[in-house]
Amino acid sequence: MNAPLAVSESTLHDQVRDEGFAFVQGDAMRGLVSHIAPLADWDTFAASWNALEPDTYLAATGRFRRRRHAVFAASRFGHVEPRPHQAHFQTLAYNTLQGDIARWFAPVLPEIAGGATMSAILDFCRDIFGGLSPTVETWHVEVHQFRIEATAGVAGEPTPEGSHRDGVDYVLVLLVDRENIASGTTTIHTPDGRPLGEFTLTRPLDAALIHDPRVFHGVTPVTPLDASKASHRDVLVVTFRAA
């Protein structure tokens, strides 16, 4: 693989503005986020995916994943502040599988939600997404920790709702860990289905930034490389919606 090209916030800003999405390799993403603040607790942050809870709503459809959820508020020039734990809600227009349901998930652990890595990632998102929408004064921010597991004969579904939009303004999808997993390719489409790009998040901090009103995104099912061993795909998803 070629060495990752240098990436600046200006480059990402222009790419998301012009194309509706951007892919950032992990080394470049680490540099961008660490420029805001050191990822001092990264190991603890990544290990917290081992403590995610089953998504009981998805289990009702015969599927399986683990997750935790948190809500924040961000102002254009201020810090990203935590908000009381609340339900996650999407309309059927954006989630035909589980729309129009107020879904309560286990909260992100306090030490993770308020830790150095999460804070740096959220501040990075505030700067990038705020720069793309400079007239927005405040943002409603949601954070989702996801673990998708795959077993022999049963593929894991990172996006069980298929190619979709989230009903927000901007989305960050950031890979935290990938163990014994094949596939899991992120696909980007126009609303009428025309493919715009695809890439696979394979290394920690590989990331996708998405302008949600403009493009659809999805991830292909994942399967274990070695069926005799445990496998998982851990991602952090951050959404920003104008409050």
Side-chain angles (χ1 to χ4, degrees):
M1 178 181 292
N2 295 329
L5 298 175
V7 176
S8 67
E9 285 195 18
S10 177
T11 302
L12 287 183
H13 176 282
D14 292 350
Q15 190 171 353
V16 176
R17 179 198 63 201
D18 297 341
E19 301 180 30
F21 72 98
F23 166 63
V24 189
Q25 291 186 340
D27 290 345
M29 189 67 178
R30 180 179 291 275
L32 289 167
V33 177
S34 297
H35 182 71
I36 295 173
L39 307 185
D41 65 343
W42 173 263
D43 289 345
T44 300
F45 175 80
S48 71
W49 266 255
N50 295 324
L52 302 191
E53 298 288 341
D55 179 345
T56 56
Y57 299 94
L58 194 62
T61 71
R63 297 167 169 88
F64 183 78
R65 69 182 168 197
R66 299 182 183 274
R67 70 189 293 175
R68 286 182 182 271
H69 173 245
V71 177
F72 298 80
S75 60
R76 184 164 48 161
F77 302 111
H79 293 294
V80 182
E81 303 287 350
R83 287 292 179 261
H85 189 52
Q86 55 192 264
H88 174 56
F89 182 85
Q90 293 173 294
T91 67
L92 277 171
Y94 291 103
N95 189 333
T96 57
L97 184 64
Q98 296 182 309
D100 287 353
I101 302 171
R103 290 179 286 165
W104 288 90
F105 300 109
V108 175
L109 297 173
E111 62 270 25
I112 301 303
T117 295
M118 185 73 81
S119 296
I121 291 170
L122 294 178
D123 284 349
F124 166 81
C125 290
R126 176 206 58 211
D127 292 348
I128 286 288
F129 299 149
L132 287 160
S133 296
T135 61
V136 175
E137 293 289 342
T138 57
W139 296 96
H140 175 82
V141 181
E142 297 195 39
V143 166
H144 307 262
Q145 293 178 288
F146 289 108
R147 168 168 284 186
I148 303 299
E149 298 170 334
T151 58
V154 182
E157 296 181 79
T159 53
E161 63 273 60
S163 184
H164 65 285
R165 290 182 294 180
D166 289 329
V168 297
D169 291 294
Y170 299 100
V171 182
L172 169 75
V173 181
L174 183 138
L175 185 73
V176 174
D177 187 40
R178 180 184 172 105
E179 180 68 29
N180 189 35
I181 283 291
S183 192
T185 298
T186 298
T187 58
I188 307 291
H189 300 84
T190 61
D192 63 4
R194 178 170 59 88
L196 295 175
E198 64 177 42
F199 42 83
T200 304
L201 308 180
T202 58
R203 298 184 300 174
L205 287 156
D206 278 0
L209 289 80
I210 299 166
H211 186 201
D212 192 64
R214 288 176 57 190
V215 299
F216 281 66
H217 63 281
V219 184
T220 61
V222 297
T223 56
L225 290 168
D226 183 341
S228 68
K229 297 180 180 179
S231 62
H232 62 256
R233 179 181 185 267
D234 295 347
V235 298
L236 178 76
V237 173
V238 180
T239 65
F240 270 56
R241 175 173 54 82

